[in-house]
Amino acid sequence: MTVIEVFDPAMCCSTGVCGPSPDPVLATFTADLDWLAARGVEVRRFNLSQEPGAFVQRPAVQHLLTRDGEQALPIVVLDGEVRSSGRYPSRGELAGWAGVEAVEAVGVWSDAVAELVAVGAAVGANCEPCFKYHYDKARKFGVTNEELVAAVRTAQAVKDTPARAMLSLAARLLRVDAAAFGSPLAPASAPADEPTTETPDNGGSCCGSDEPVAIGATPGTGSAGASVTVPPAGDDGPGIPASGEPTGSGCCG
């Protein structure tokens, strides 16, 4: 059996995804090693900070470390022979050394996929101009009606989940059946005999403030806060004419 040994520099783990700044190169290399292992190649990995003895026991590895220091790491050894030093090899290189046919991963991102994502985002944001704009672009890129339906269905399912959870919470706190809210999203719930004393675990206030918020006031400042003026229909506010239809071209005005 072919054996690939990897001698990593000192690190907390070899996955590449731990810590505040994940290393995409290391994460890709880890995935490539998993890919090799799934094809019958034995993979062994050693971390300098955790298994220093393994580095000393391999004369070729010890020689490179003596000559180049930690700049020699990582070192990849195939069946006892050093194949690379100071870098992580690609999947194609690993496959070639191990005699495994390489199948490069094929990305799925495209202009059409981008428009499907944008259509879903428009549904989530309740933005009709956005939906129309990205619907038109998606059709120009060859997206089928069935694919658009799937995108809308998926986006709506994601959007409905927190709404359903909110109705469930309201029904539980008010001790009523959620059907009382008249929403098709309301889950079934059984009313209780006694009112609940449960309160949300947020300090007893909304959005971190203990003060009531007046209409047009900034949260946390009461009625004396800065107000927000909404122009009436027909005013010259940005993108809101008397007809109520957004102006401008493209998505989101």
Side-chain angles (χ1 to χ4, degrees):
M1 176 185 291
T2 301
V3 178
I4 285 185
E5 295 177 309
V6 181
F7 297 84
D8 287 302
M11 59 180 74
C12 61
C13 72
S14 59
T15 62
V17 297
C18 62
S21 301
D23 185 342
V25 173
L26 189 55
T28 298
F29 180 70
T30 299
D32 291 342
L33 291 180
D34 291 341
W35 177 84
L36 280 179
R39 284 155 179 76
V41 177
E42 183 177 349
V43 177
R44 302 171 185 168
R45 204 160 182 182
F46 307 98
N47 188 324
L48 181 60
S49 63
Q50 299 170 1
E51 301 161 290
F55 292 72
V56 177
Q57 294 168 4
R58 307 298 196 281
V61 173
Q62 186 178 20
H63 169 72
L64 288 173
L65 281 173
T66 301
R67 188 188 69 185
D68 303 329
E70 290 194 26
Q71 295 298 319
L73 301 176
I75 299 172
V76 178
V77 177
L78 175 72
D79 292 335
E81 179 184 351
V82 174
R83 291 302 183 99
S84 69
S85 174
R87 65 182 180 86
Y88 287 107
S90 67
R91 174 178 295 193
E93 289 177 295
L94 292 169
W97 298 339
V100 177
E101 183 178 356
V103 179
E104 296 294 337
V106 179
V108 299
W109 189 259
S110 64
D111 290 335
V113 172
E115 293 309 319
L116 284 171
V117 172
V119 164
V123 171
N126 287 333
C127 181
E128 293 185 20
C130 299
F131 186 91
K132 294 174 183 177
Y133 177 78
H134 290 291
Y135 164 81
D136 288 338
K137 290 196 67 177
R139 295 311 294 262
K140 290 177 182 177
F141 285 125
V143 178
T144 66
N145 198 66
E146 290 76 14
E147 290 169 328
L148 284 164
V149 169
V152 172
R153 182 171 59 245
T154 302
Q156 190 63 43
V158 173
K159 181 181 176 182
D160 287 346
T161 298
R164 189 175 292 109
M166 178 57 68
L167 292 175
S168 178
L169 172 64
R172 188 169 72 252
L173 294 178
L174 297 174
R175 290 296 193 248
V176 298
D177 193 295
F181 303 133
S183 171
L185 297 178
S189 60
D193 295 332
E194 298 296 331
T196 181
T197 58
E198 178 182 355
T199 57
D201 186 18
N202 62 351
S205 61
C206 175
C207 307
S209 172
D210 293 328
E211 303 176 25
V213 180
I215 299 298
T218 302
T221 61
S223 59
S227 61
V228 178
T229 302
V230 178
D235 199 356
D236 293 330
I240 311 178
S243 63
E245 290 296 329
T247 61
S249 59
C251 174
C252 308

